[in-house]
Amino acid sequence: MLPREPARSPQLGYLYIPPYRVQGISIAGEQSVVQVPELDVAFDIGACPKPILTANYVALTHGHMDHAAALSYYFSQRNFQGIGVGTIVCHPELEQPIHNVMKAWTGLEAQKTPYNVIALPPGEQLEIKNNIYLRAVESVHTVPSLAYVVLEKRSKLRPDLVGQPQEKLVELKNSGEQITQTLEIPLVCYTGDTMWGELFDRPDVLGAKILITECTFLEPGHRGRASVGKHLHLDDIVKLLEKSTAEAVVLTHLSRRTHLGMVRKALEAAVPPEQLDRVFVLMDQRTNRRRFDQQLADAEAEAEAKADS
Ligand SMILES: [Zn+2]
Ligand SMILES: [Zn+2]
């Protein structure tokens, strides 16, 4: 008998939720890293597969190894590949520990890797692209932790001025009056590891177009384990689906022990059928592949129809 081949390392999960790609790997206790390339950000950096290097920002939710293990590698590879210095955004309590980690690597490698760390207190935000902001939101886990919301700020004419002639608006503006107001559009929320809490009452979390949330425990008997580890259980996701207006709710941080067939069964049993369409499991490669193939076929058919008309 020949020895068995080594187990394959997990592939990146991939979902296209127009106009955003959600890609990464997330397995509870092992590794979590989820990138939205269009927004220039990756959430967590528990591993650093090559595509992640293109993210100029990494929003770190907390310091557990499965979320933070590859932070030094991210900085070092970006430097090695000549991509430019990466930036990690983190809870203020993690800023010094990250400096300590990078300092330890300077000792190990006998060279310094350039890096940026930005501590973002809960409630504060940072502009990561033109008009696109990363906001830190308090979450509840066993260690200091943050969730993040990426939002777009759009300047819009004040509603009471809509329909006014252009000259009037110019006149008002020149007189120093504020004629616009800023709208905040939550695009993506990433909860990181968290238990149920005030986080899930916030309009920016509930209103995000894409809500990427952990769902560590699924089985009815695992409620207790979820609360000890300060994690979410599928029962929480059911509550969340009622409150959130997200077009897509992407589940991450499932345990490797839970077989994907079992995940689908548990979802079908717990989630009302009309809600199931907007629930995705990042690591359910087969279902997501099938969906993407359909998206490709639809796009092709649409292009053909256009060419014919
Ligand atoms: Zn974790
Ligand atoms: Zn954790």
Side-chain angles (χ1 to χ4, degrees):
M1 267 263 275
L2 292 176
R4 274 172 74 165
E5 286 181 276
R8 294 214 188 112
S9 50
Q11 268 198 323
L12 264 75
Y14 176 65
L15 285 162
Y16 178 51
I17 301 156
Y20 304 109
R21 287 170 288 171
V22 177
Q23 58 191 41
I25 300 178
S26 181
I27 302 165
E30 293 186 18
Q31 43 182 300
S32 277
V33 53
V34 181
Q35 181 187 20
V36 181
E38 289 72 18
L39 297 173
D40 208 9
V41 68
F43 302 100
D44 288 330
I45 188 85
C48 191
K50 211 163 179 206
I52 307 299
L53 291 174
T54 58
N56 284 318
Y57 291 89
V58 169
L60 183 70
T61 60
H62 65 296
H64 280 155
M65 189 69 95
D66 57 323
H67 298 257
L71 70 89
S72 40
Y73 188 73
Y74 161 78
F75 288 131
S76 153
Q77 275 301 299
R78 280 189 55 113
N79 186 45
F80 180 69
Q81 313 256 1
I83 306 176
V85 184
T87 298
I88 289 193
V89 178
C90 66
H91 192 287
E93 287 199 39
L94 297 190
E95 185 184 7
Q96 189 55 49
I98 291 173
H99 288 306
N100 297 347
V101 166
M102 293 310 293
K103 193 165 173 224
W105 275 107
T106 305
L108 267 168
E109 291 203 292
Q111 66 177 19
K112 259 190 183 162
T113 293
Y115 69 98
N116 293 322
V117 185
I118 297 178
L120 201 59
E124 293 196 10
Q125 55 200 25
L126 171 77
E127 189 168 20
I128 56 171
K129 278 183 79 166
N130 208 5
N131 295 326
I132 303 286
Y133 290 77
L134 177 71
R135 177 181 287 158
V137 172
E138 189 144 34
S139 61
V140 190
H141 194 38
T142 53
V143 291
S145 64
L146 293 174
Y148 291 95
V149 175
V150 182
L151 49 98
E152 183 185 352
K153 291 195 183 179
R154 267 189 222 158
S155 176
K156 238 190 128 202
L157 190 63
R158 258 169 42 199
D160 57 303
L161 296 177
V162 174
Q164 296 285 338
Q166 194 65 29
E167 310 87 77
K168 171 88 189 289
L169 296 177
V170 172
E171 189 186 306
L172 277 173
K173 195 176 176 200
N174 290 343
S175 73
E177 192 159 336
Q178 186 72 34
I179 63 163
T180 57
Q181 61 177 22
T182 306
L183 284 187
E184 287 186 354
I185 300 136
L187 305 174
V188 174
C189 171
Y190 179 86
T191 68
D193 288 5
T194 186
M195 62 183 280
W196 188 260
E198 283 168 29
L199 170 67
F200 299 109
D201 290 325
R202 296 178 57 101
D204 52 356
V205 169
L206 298 175
K209 178 182 160 75
I210 301 175
L211 174 57
I212 306 166
T213 176
E214 73 127 296
C215 176
T216 312
F217 295 98
L218 289 149
E219 288 158 71
H222 285 173
R223 271 237 69 109
R225 288 172 64 180
S227 70
V228 170
K230 298 201 171 159
H231 281 295
L232 295 177
H233 184 278
L234 179 56
D235 294 353
D236 299 310
I237 304 302
V238 174
K239 274 192 281 177
L240 184 53
L241 282 165
E242 272 169 38
K243 301 179 74 169
S244 156
T245 55
E247 182 184 318
V249 175
V250 180
L251 306 184
T252 60
H253 208 265
L254 281 86
S255 155
R256 185 187 282 283
R257 289 184 305 275
T258 18
H259 186 266
L260 281 166
M262 187 248 146
V263 172
R264 294 253 54 114
K265 265 195 201 131
L267 284 174
E268 277 159 28
V271 177
E274 70 276 10
Q275 299 277 13
L276 265 179
D277 278 2
R278 61 186 185 117
V279 181
F280 301 89
V281 177
L282 180 66
M283 299 308 283
D284 186 351
Q285 314 281 8
R286 209 182 293 171
T287 308
N288 297 343
R289 179 76 241 175
R290 224 182 295 134
R291 177 175 172 273
F292 188 62
D293 284 343
Q294 187 61 50
Q295 287 176 312
L296 285 172
D298 291 349
E300 244 169 66
E302 200 179 307
E304 266 171 41
K306 241 184 219 160
D308 288 346
S309 67

